[in-house]
Amino acid sequence: MLTFYRRRFARVYPLHLVTAGFALVMAVVFAPDTEQGLRPLAANLALVQSWVLEIPYFQGLNPVSWSLACEAFFYLCFPLLLWPLRRLGPRSARVVAGLALATVVAIPTVWDLGGVPDGTVWARDFFPLVRLPEFVLGIAVAELVRSGRWRGPGLTASLALAMGGYFLNYQADYAFRSVACTVVGFTCLIAAAAQADLKGEPSPWRGRLSVKLGEVSFAFYMVHILVIRTGEHLFGGHPKLPLWDGGLLVLAAAFSVSLALAWALHTWVEVPGRRLLLRRWRGTSAASRPAP
């Protein structure tokens, strides 16, 4: 279990630390008169910012890092969730997957009917406990795929479901819709892709370029908002350009800069940082073992 936690920390934290540093520099340069609180900074670095009901916390520094607080909580829970699920078997995994899916879809309705104040939108979108059912769903579906008991649609149908969820998301008008509308499609798509890999079936995500883009995707996620915020500072605000009158060019520029920075961060921060941490931990573990 300790090895699992070490590997996840080494996978996530070096990139989080560096991008948080970039975000702090940007805050000082772009808004020098804004006071930077030490507590939100400490919460961000400790990956607990999404547990606090204040915008300077869960949207502080690099805004996308709110999901890392959820991720850290999920990693903490993972062994405790996986062990009983494997002991109970595939039938229980189906039940857990169904209950988790129903919970994810039901959250918007419960939220609206409960009349929760708008000021607590953070809990619906960012609070780790609210996002936990999605993680449980992923664990249960992964167990079904691993045991050969997954009976979902294939890649083509799953991709159609995922795209349909995106369309439905833009038509819907209620809380948490982006998750509730897309969760079925993405669940099926990820499971179908994993099953195709296990069976050696054709898949568009096994090509060299697809694999490389997947490897840099975390760095892209961590840096893209910082690129957008820099662009907004240069433009003096968020430009509302027509798509064919400069909008497409700005979009392409933001994407290209984000991808280039993500590639550099993956190559020179994420991979070396992970290797360095794991090498040191392996060395420490080996030194602590008694001699034969």
Side-chain angles (χ1 to χ4, degrees):
M1 187 180 296
L2 184 59
T3 299
F4 168 77
Y5 290 136
R6 285 174 171 175
R7 287 177 176 174
R8 299 322 301 161
F9 181 88
R11 172 71 174 83
V12 170
Y13 205 78
L15 199 53
H16 169 57
L17 187 62
V18 170
T19 52
F22 287 162
L24 186 59
V25 171
M26 288 171 57
V28 172
V29 173
F30 295 163
D33 297 331
T34 303
E35 183 179 350
Q36 307 297 327
L38 292 179
R39 288 184 178 181
L41 174 61
N44 187 279
L45 296 179
L47 296 179
V48 295
Q49 67 271 35
S50 292
W51 294 92
V52 185
L53 181 88
E54 292 180 22
I55 288 179
Y57 284 85
F58 67 85
Q59 288 287 277
L61 288 181
N62 189 359
V64 300
S65 65
W66 70 267
S67 65
L68 299 188
C70 296
E71 198 172 333
F73 173 63
F74 297 161
Y75 291 154
L76 183 65
C77 297
F78 178 64
L80 306 176
L81 295 170
L82 182 63
W83 181 79
L85 198 60
R86 285 193 172 175
R87 289 291 299 269
L88 293 173
R91 183 175 297 178
S92 296
R94 288 195 184 94
V95 174
V96 170
L99 292 174
L101 178 60
T103 302
V104 171
V105 175
I107 284 175
T109 303
V110 174
W111 198 272
D112 286 342
L113 292 178
V116 180
D118 291 338
T120 56
V121 67
W122 69 279
R124 185 193 70 217
D125 293 336
F126 306 110
F127 194 51
L129 285 175
V130 175
R131 308 307 295 254
L132 184 60
E134 300 165 59
F135 184 67
V136 174
L137 174 62
I139 296 175
V141 170
E143 281 300 293
L144 291 173
V145 172
R146 187 187 67 86
S147 63
R149 304 296 182 89
W150 173 253
R151 297 295 181 266
L155 272 175
T156 303
S158 297
L159 182 59
L161 279 173
M163 297 304 294
Y166 262 116
F167 176 79
L168 181 61
N169 170 48
Y170 286 105
Q171 307 307 310
D173 184 22
Y174 58 89
F176 213 55
R177 63 183 183 273
S178 59
V179 175
C181 293
T182 59
V183 63
V184 173
F186 278 126
T187 298
C188 293
L189 184 58
I190 293 170
Q195 197 165 47
D197 287 347
L198 291 174
K199 294 181 177 180
E201 298 173 348
S203 171
W205 292 285
R206 282 210 302 273
R208 181 176 298 180
L209 179 60
S210 298
V211 171
K212 189 61 181 179
L213 289 174
E215 291 174 350
V216 304
S217 62
F218 176 49
F220 185 91
Y221 173 73
M222 293 299 294
V223 80
H224 80 282
I225 288 294
L226 302 181
V227 172
I228 292 173
R229 293 290 184 265
T230 302
E232 289 174 344
H233 179 74
L234 295 176
F235 272 97
H238 192 80
K240 302 293 184 181
L241 301 175
L243 184 62
W244 301 112
D245 189 15
L248 193 60
L249 182 61
V250 171
L251 177 63
F255 177 82
S256 300
V257 172
S258 298
L259 183 59
L261 288 175
W263 210 288
L265 286 169
H266 172 73
T267 303
W268 294 320
V269 175
E270 183 181 356
V271 174
R274 180 171 68 243
R275 289 174 177 170
L276 177 63
L277 287 174
L278 293 178
R279 189 182 303 121
R280 287 193 172 186
W281 278 325
R282 281 196 294 267
T284 302
S285 298
S288 64
R289 285 197 296 266

